[in-house]
Amino acid sequence: MEDYSFIYLIGDPVEHSISPQIYNAAFIQENLPYKYKKKQVKKSNLVDILEKFKTDGTVGFNVTIPHKTLILKYLNELTPIAQEIGAVNTVKIEEGKLIGTNTDIVGIRDALSEANFPHIQDLSIVIVGAGGAARSVSKYFSKFDVKLSIINRTVKNAEILSNALISHPKTNAEIHFYSLNSPKKKQIFQSADLLVNATPIGMWPNINETIFQNYTPLDSQWIFDLVYNPIETQLVKTAKKMGCKLINGLDMLIYQASEAFKWWTGKYPDINLMKKVAIEKLITIFLK
Ligand code: NAP
């Protein structure tokens, strides 16, 4: 008989996730009777899995592609932040009820703070991508008095995200959207104080790709690559060479994981341990 309870990552695909290593190291260190496992869940299985979780002693779970927004309608409660973002990445189960939250905003806030990012005002922020990660990043910056540009391969998705931001009462930013094919692309990139890659471009195994093809960042620009596998993407390598300041995608992952850990267990984990384990695992993947 197992004497621990499970916490899962559900999504499709999940096989490349390093979350089990990160969380399990922290559960062991904190002497908590939990085990974290990945579970591949197809869209057609989502409802059945959620019903099972409600009664089988599961403590909670993380949610990834493609369920982050789809899951909303099946949850019993949402925190205000999950309602605001319109996506859930963390769920806890209490008395058979599924309670969803979103820890990405905390991950972004703390990664910016770790990098000593300046006071957010009168900045031009350019986000490449309009998927789930771009939604969190744009939500974070939309409250500030900044110019926020969303540039995406499918311009319709950039437009939908922009409209959602514009119509939100808490948005203070001036919002623009563009196609990644825009002839103004270089100008848009050059105008940025902060450039964010919120696409999977450059992610293992396509490590030689970069979203900023034919654009070399300026030394005055901040670069935030959300891709953390490999630890140093091609974009980060180029940005370092150019003397740019960097915000670390792995920090975002670790800080959002730390917040999820707190949501399930009531206490914060050892961030340094989580980061050390993550780096070890990423190096193993890279050397394979
Ligand atoms: P997603 O919801 O699938 O969105 C992907 C976005 O990237 C979409 O805007 C998509 O454009 C664009 N895209 C995909 N392939 C592209 C290509 N070949 N060329 C140009 N654009 C492309 O994924 P997501 O959840 O936002 O995740 C994006 C990346 O962020 C992933 O690598 C993920 O690992 C990373 N991430 C990191 C953290 C962290 O904590 N550091 C957190 C979340 C996500 P279309 O609209 O045209 O499809």
Side-chain angles (χ1 to χ4, degrees):
M1 178 83 178
E2 290 163 336
D3 55 359
Y4 41 75
S5 307
F6 286 104
I7 296 181
Y8 293 96
L9 168 68
I10 63 163
D12 182 27
V14 288
E15 65 265 27
H16 296 301
S17 169
I18 60 169
S19 294
Q21 283 79 13
I22 299 173
Y23 286 112
N24 285 329
F27 291 146
I28 290 167
Q29 170 153 306
E30 297 294 332
N31 235 341
L32 290 166
Y34 302 139
K35 203 157 232 183
Y36 190 98
K37 279 173 101 172
K38 342 183 222 206
K39 207 183 231 333
Q40 189 188 16
V41 175
K42 302 218 169 285
K43 280 186 186 174
S44 54
N45 283 344
L46 181 63
V47 176
D48 289 347
I49 287 289
L50 297 180
E51 283 309 311
K52 188 167 172 295
F53 283 167
K54 283 181 183 175
T55 56
D56 72 356
T58 297
V59 173
F61 53 96
N62 281 132
V63 186
T64 188
I65 296 169
H67 306 309
K68 279 184 164 186
T69 49
L70 195 67
I71 198 169
L72 291 175
K73 58 176 180 260
Y74 304 118
L75 300 179
N76 303 98
E77 281 175 35
L78 289 177
T79 59
I81 190 71
Q83 278 174 29
E84 210 181 314
I85 301 177
V88 157
N89 74 340
T90 307
V91 176
K92 75 174 164 187
I93 302 162
E94 273 179 1
E95 294 167 5
K97 280 201 291 189
L98 303 173
I99 310 168
T101 191
N102 193 310
T103 64
D104 280 343
I105 293 286
V106 170
I108 294 160
R109 183 197 68 193
D110 291 354
L112 290 171
S113 162
E114 182 86 34
N116 291 319
F117 191 73
H119 181 60
I120 306 171
Q121 197 175 0
D122 296 330
L123 297 176
S124 167
I125 294 159
V126 173
I127 299 171
V128 189
R135 184 197 284 244
S136 296
V137 178
S138 59
K139 192 78 208 169
Y140 179 79
F141 285 109
S142 66
K143 290 194 179 140
F144 298 96
D145 190 6
V146 295
K147 180 176 169 194
L148 190 57
S149 304
I150 294 158
I151 177 160
N152 194 47
R153 178 178 61 181
T154 308
V155 70
K156 189 74 197 157
N157 292 339
E159 184 179 6
I160 292 169
L161 177 54
S162 298
N163 287 341
L165 293 168
I166 290 166
S167 62
H168 199 278
K170 286 189 185 162
T171 294
N172 283 312
E174 178 191 319
I175 312 282
H176 300 263
F177 67 90
Y178 304 93
S179 158
L180 204 49
N181 290 324
S182 164
K184 289 201 262 172
K185 188 164 94 171
K186 191 171 175 191
Q187 260 170 279
I188 298 163
F189 286 166
Q190 268 173 346
S191 73
D193 296 298
L194 167 63
L195 274 166
V196 183
N197 175 32
T199 77
I201 307 273
M203 193 162 84
W204 176 262
N206 304 313
I207 57 169
N208 293 321
E209 291 179 5
T210 160
I211 195 73
F212 302 124
Q213 265 162 3
N214 305 323
Y215 177 74
T216 309
L218 310 171
D219 63 357
S220 56
Q221 293 185 306
W222 284 81
I223 302 293
F224 186 4
D225 194 348
L226 266 62
V227 174
Y228 52 81
N229 179 12
I231 298 167
E232 242 185 34
T233 59
Q234 190 55 48
L235 168 61
V236 168
K237 282 184 187 161
T238 310
K240 267 190 173 174
K241 218 185 281 171
M242 294 309 297
C244 301
K245 285 155 280 186
L246 295 162
I247 298 151
N248 192 329
L250 186 60
D251 281 346
M252 175 180 163
L253 178 82
I254 300 295
Y255 283 116
Q256 67 77 27
S258 158
E259 196 63 21
F261 188 101
K262 167 83 167 28
W263 175 245
W264 296 315
T265 69
K267 57 176 164 181
Y268 283 108
D270 177 347
I271 289 282
N272 291 329
L273 171 76
M274 278 188 158
K275 201 164 175 176
K276 176 175 159 285
V277 170
I279 291 170
E280 282 167 5
K281 181 63 187 169
L282 289 170
I283 290 172
T284 321
I285 296 170
F286 191 74
L287 292 177
K288 251 186 199 166

